[in-house]
Amino acid sequence: MGRVIISGGGTGGHIYPAITIARAIADIEPTEFLYVGSKIGLENTLIPKEGLPFVTIDVRGLERRISFRNVVTLGKTAGSVFKAERIIHRFKPEVVIGTGGFVCGPVLLAASLSGIPTLVQEQNVIPGVTNLILSKFANRVALGYREAAGRFKKKENLVYTGNPVRKDILTVSKEEGRSLLGLDPHKFTLLVAGGSRGARSINSAMIEVHRYFKDVKDIQILHITGDHEYDRVVKQLEGIDGKGRYGEGSRIIPYLHQMPEALAAADLAVYRAGAVGLAELTVRGVPSILIPYPYAAEDHQRYNAQALVMCGAAKMILDKMLTGKDLLEEILHLKEDPEALASMAKASKALGRPQAAHDIAKLALSIARRRTGSSAK
């Protein structure tokens, strides 16, 4: 049985890929995992639920520039690197994988100092500052986007894999998705989601969209507002029922656990441009209207979205330009032009990397095996 340490934290965008990679490694061979997170990140809630052994170290964020000071102070103090070294010494991993967030800094630095092979997984077109620093000594950097390669100075350890997606995203058919969600199998289906916390600008623009389509019979809208936004949205729609049903086809809900089914059901999606969400859209071949989150570090969501727009897989409306009228016009244009929508769907599918998790898992195991002297399968 192999031993693997995985570290990633702060946001779901770093944590969900880590979980997916762990599952992909376990599918290849029996593996003992240890997840190293920070004391304050979302990983404290998500990782124990996944049943992965979990420990924390106390770390702080980095300056948004590459500097020697950042390398020295990757953690809250130099002590975070020493604590990470102690964890590594006790667990004895064959490889250490980092998926982003400042907690990865001391963990992968300590692994490298201990002679343990390391792999960094970078989800975005614009790499995070931690991953840019870690790339200087990591054995491999698995890129979610080809476009990210230009941001790294050390090219020889870069491998384009795409971003990992959960297996259940890939397995649901359109018919199954619509049936399980109680949606009409024949209507044009619009999926709207702004991430787990919702997106106020998207939700606000959707009020006009819902009102326009209230009495239209050939469209159904599944709008996931986020828990914090739900009450604000439904108060603005007169006649909505207690289950969030509005007019002929709008269904407005605060949260949805069945996202694989929702993605399978969708003909078109209105989304933010986080790397995990875009990876899921493209493996399903879903065309999208993207509204990048404007406060993401280095404006990386805009660059993520641009990569899809340039390939013809998506349209983009900048958050500061978003109005209900503009969003409605874009939805109507695509709904009423099946050829354009089909072309976008084909482009989206072409960008999808359904094997990414498996490829990253094999990449991680290959550098571990070189160290242990055994051959890759």
Side-chain angles (χ1 to χ4, degrees), residues 20-345:
T20 303
I21 293 166
R23 299 290 175 236
I25 291 172
D27 284 345
I28 295 171
E29 65 176 48
T31 305
E32 188 178 345
F33 294 99
L34 181 64
Y35 196 105
V36 183
S38 71
K39 291 184 175 180
I40 58 171
L42 189 59
E43 60 269 28
N44 284 269
T45 305
L46 296 179
I47 296 304
K49 284 182 182 176
E50 291 291 325
L52 291 170
F54 179 63
V55 296
T56 63
I57 57 175
D58 197 8
V59 290
R60 70 167 179 84
L62 297 166
E63 299 171 357
R64 293 231 156 265
R65 61 191 179 92
I66 297 175
S67 66
F68 180 73
R69 181 175 176 274
N70 262 340
V71 177
V72 175
T73 61
L74 276 164
K76 188 176 181 182
T77 65
S80 62
V81 178
F82 294 126
K83 183 171 182 185
E85 279 189 316
R86 286 198 299 273
I87 291 168
I88 287 164
H89 181 71
R90 284 197 302 269
F91 189 72
K92 296 181 172 57
E94 292 164 16
V95 64
V96 176
I97 301 167
T99 57
F102 49 79
V103 68
C104 290
V107 178
L108 269 75
L109 180 57
S112 185
L113 292 170
S114 301
I116 309 294
T118 56
L119 180 145
V120 171
Q121 199 266 320
E122 173 53 59
Q123 295 96 30
N124 297 295
V125 172
I126 305 295
V129 66
T130 303
N131 282 355
L132 281 172
I133 294 167
L134 293 175
S135 70
K136 295 178 183 298
F137 55 81
N139 296 72
R140 292 288 184 274
V141 179
L143 301 178
Y145 289 89
R146 290 187 195 278
E147 293 87 345
R151 304 276 171 165
F152 291 93
K153 290 183 178 177
K154 186 178 174 183
K155 308 294 186 188
E156 60 270 22
N157 61 351
L158 304 179
V159 182
Y160 169 60
T161 58
N163 281 315
V165 296
R166 299 171 290 163
K167 281 198 294 187
D168 55 359
I169 294 289
L170 302 166
T171 53
V172 186
S173 71
K174 178 165 281 195
E175 294 72 26
E176 287 170 338
R178 293 189 177 187
S179 175
L180 286 163
L181 292 170
L183 296 170
D184 189 300
H186 307 296
K187 287 185 178 181
F188 181 90
T189 303
L190 175 68
L191 172 64
V192 183
S196 57
R197 293 187 177 183
R200 176 163 283 226
S201 58
I202 295 175
N203 289 334
S204 295
M206 279 301 299
I207 300 298
E208 187 168 338
V209 175
H210 286 301
R211 287 174 178 156
Y212 180 89
F213 287 117
K214 183 177 181 181
D215 299 316
V216 177
K217 297 183 187 299
D218 67 343
I219 183 173
Q220 55 196 347
I221 302 171
L222 182 59
H223 178 188
I224 305 156
T225 62
D227 290 327
H228 300 298
E229 282 277 290
Y230 179 73
D231 288 343
R232 186 182 72 83
V233 171
V234 298
K235 281 176 184 173
Q236 296 178 71
L237 295 170
E238 291 179 9
I240 193 167
D241 72 15
K243 293 184 177 179
R245 296 190 181 277
Y246 179 74
E248 286 285 338
S250 288
R251 182 176 164 201
I252 302 158
I253 54 176
Y255 188 78
L256 183 68
H257 288 288
Q258 299 102 332
M259 282 306 290
E261 288 79 7
L263 282 160
D267 292 308
L268 175 67
V270 175
Y271 255 49
R272 285 300 197 193
V276 173
L278 297 191
E280 293 178 349
L281 286 172
T282 54
V283 297
R284 292 291 330 189
V286 179
S288 53
I289 300 166
L290 303 175
I291 297 97
Y293 178 59
Y295 306 111
E298 309 292 334
D299 201 17
H300 70 253
Q301 284 206 7
R302 181 165 65 88
Y303 290 90
N304 290 352
Q306 193 65 39
L308 269 69
V309 172
M310 295 293 283
C311 293
K315 305 290 185 181
M316 177 169 64
I317 305 173
L318 293 179
D319 194 271
K320 65 183 178 183
M321 308 294 288
L322 180 65
T323 66
K325 180 175 179 289
D326 290 336
L327 183 57
L328 176 59
E329 284 180 358
E330 202 69 80
I331 292 165
L332 280 169
H333 167 69
L334 292 172
K335 176 179 176 288
E336 294 169 6
D337 190 346
E339 285 188 14
L341 197 69
S343 175
M344 287 175 67

